[in-house]
Amino acid sequence: MSRLAVVGAGSMGAQIAQQAALRGMDVKLHDQTDEQLRKAVESNRGHLNRRVEKGRLTARDAEAAAARVHTTTDLAEAVDRADLVIEAVFEDLGVKREIFAELDRLAPAAAVLASNSSTMAISKIADATRRPHACVNMHFFFPVLVMDLVEVVRGPETSDETVDRAMAMARAMGRTPVLINKEIDGFIVNRILHAATQEAYRLLDAGVARFEDIDTAVEKGLNWPMGPFRLGDFSGLDITYRARLHMFETTGDERYRPSPQLEAKVRAGKMGRKTGEGWYRYPKTDN
Ligand SMILES: NC(=O)c1ccc[n+]([C@@H]2O[C@H](COP(=O)([O-])OP(=O)(O)OC[C@H]3O[C@@H](n4cnc5c(N)ncnc54)[C@H](O)[C@@H]3O)[C@@H](O)[C@H]2O)c1
């Protein structure tokens, strides 16, 4: 199985396609406009060129990998011969359901339809198709060209064969898949990250340690590349805050209540790197 189509050429889709092409696959990459496809190709070119400059890829292999990504604004042309389609469009349930209904109509009857959604379980999308058994989550991590993991999450109707094909595709792309047998908010990685981050905020709010020392403890003691506060600054404290607020409001569980100190940062407009200050300060040249 090697014919892959990727729908949505944003931050994730562009690199998912490029990663597969680096592993020798011919990939169709679809988005709504030529402009978006051009940006995706340009961004991938930049990544490939940097690898060539660092001596990690030959210019010839970079050229071949770039040429194996075939772009099109025509969805039918993108998927009509695909064995597996990965959807990576906006995180909007309505849009994803529309796309899956279209994919069901346009892709071969035997094709697997996968969603890269971080938060939407496949069962919320699969019933827009006549093949829920062939639908699955394949959750890649940003940046896909660097991050090795793919969480494959099966829905209640996903068949064993679909799971096997998704796992095999992830491996063929040079990525390490893990299988999640139950649909669960946050899958594995974001759940564990969330739990660790909440604990870090609890320690901070209780005055147990300064945020710098909690980061240092996690970085040096657990060997995580970034402690929770540094990582929050990197991804945006507004995003960290909203994720917690969402969990708290939907579950009513006190464990998820956002930290008052996190809330204060967000109210003060200190969102992290993107605003020049969060837990740490980022001089302009550093942004
Ligand atoms: N960014 C991340 O860190 C990350 C990590 C893991 C998973 N995800 C998931 O990946 C998906 C995409 O995220 P992203 O960050 O790449 O978003 P993005 O906004 O960068 O890209 C989305 C792309 O989808 C395209 N699109 C929208 N509607 C479309 C349609 N009807 N047909 C074709 N293309 C359409 C847009 O033009 C855009 O290029 C989301 O489901 C998100 O949850 C994101």
Side-chain angles (χ1 to χ4, degrees):
M1 182 174 71
S2 60
R3 282 174 307 209
L4 175 67
V6 179
V7 176
S11 324
M12 295 300 290
Q15 291 199 16
I16 291 171
Q18 192 60 72
Q19 177 60 31
L22 274 165
R23 289 296 170 133
M25 278 179 237
D26 272 297
V27 189
K28 298 268 187 75
L29 177 61
H30 163 81
D31 207 299
Q32 288 170 311
T33 63
D34 284 319
E35 172 65 9
Q36 186 57 36
L37 289 169
R38 193 188 54 70
K39 275 194 207 155
V41 167
E42 214 167 83
S43 161
N44 282 340
R45 275 267 173 207
H47 292 295
L48 294 174
N49 288 345
R50 275 191 291 282
R51 285 190 184 190
V52 173
E53 280 158 23
K54 287 181 186 162
R56 289 166 49 209
L57 190 69
T58 66
R60 197 180 172 164
D61 286 348
E63 197 53 51
R68 278 194 286 267
V69 177
H70 309 277
T71 58
T72 174
T73 53
D74 180 346
L75 184 61
E77 186 192 326
V79 304
D80 65 359
R81 297 184 63 237
D83 295 310
L84 189 145
V85 182
I86 299 175
E87 165 277 311
V89 306
F90 299 137
E91 192 71 344
D92 178 303
L93 186 59
V95 174
K96 287 190 191 285
R97 288 180 61 89
E98 268 173 40
I99 299 259
F100 267 68
E102 278 289 277
L103 292 176
D104 189 34
R105 199 168 61 76
L106 298 170
V112 165
L113 308 180
S115 174
N116 180 50
S117 174
S118 297
T119 62
M120 288 164 199
I122 199 64
S123 59
K124 296 212 175 84
I125 307 171
D127 65 348
T129 74
R130 291 158 302 171
R131 59 177 102 179
H133 63 281
C135 296
V136 67
N137 286 97
M138 283 181 79
H139 182 225
F140 290 80
F141 288 78
F142 182 80
V144 180
L145 288 169
V146 176
M147 298 292 283
D148 188 9
L149 186 69
V150 181
E151 291 178 320
V152 174
V153 192
R154 70 184 307 162
E157 298 192 69
T158 309
S159 70
D160 290 345
E161 187 200 338
T162 299
V163 167
D164 290 346
R165 288 169 67 187
M167 302 283 283
M169 176 55 84
R171 287 193 193 99
M173 290 175 66
R175 291 290 167 255
T176 303
V178 292
L179 175 60
I180 301 174
N181 284 307
K182 290 188 180 182
E183 292 187 334
I184 181 166
D185 257 350
F187 307 146
I188 295 177
V189 169
N190 284 335
R191 268 187 106 81
I192 290 179
L193 176 64
H194 188 94
T197 304
Q198 271 307 82
E199 190 57 29
Y201 275 106
R202 257 196 294 274
L203 295 175
L204 180 75
D205 288 338
V208 172
R210 299 181 314 143
F211 71 85
E212 298 96 322
D213 287 332
I214 299 172
D215 270 354
T216 302
V218 170
E219 288 160 13
K220 304 287 181 193
L222 291 173
N223 238 355
W224 289 15
M226 282 188 231
F229 299 99
R230 214 182 300 284
L231 181 62
D233 274 4
F234 185 75
S235 350
L237 293 180
D238 49 331
I239 292 171
T240 308
Y241 174 71
R242 273 206 307 274
R244 267 142 200 79
L245 194 62
H246 170 77
M247 288 292 277
F248 176 58
E249 286 176 350
T250 50
T251 63
D253 188 333
E254 275 300 319
R255 281 180 310 162
Y256 296 121
R257 185 189 282 281
S259 147
Q261 294 195 61
L262 172 60
E263 188 165 1
K265 288 277 178 209
V266 174
R267 282 194 198 285
K270 294 176 180 172
M271 312 295 192
R273 293 187 79 96
K274 62 186 173 188
T275 60
E277 185 176 346
W279 291 103
Y280 298 89
R281 291 215 169 122
Y282 304 91
K284 253 202 155 50
T285 50
D286 208 5
N287 274 333

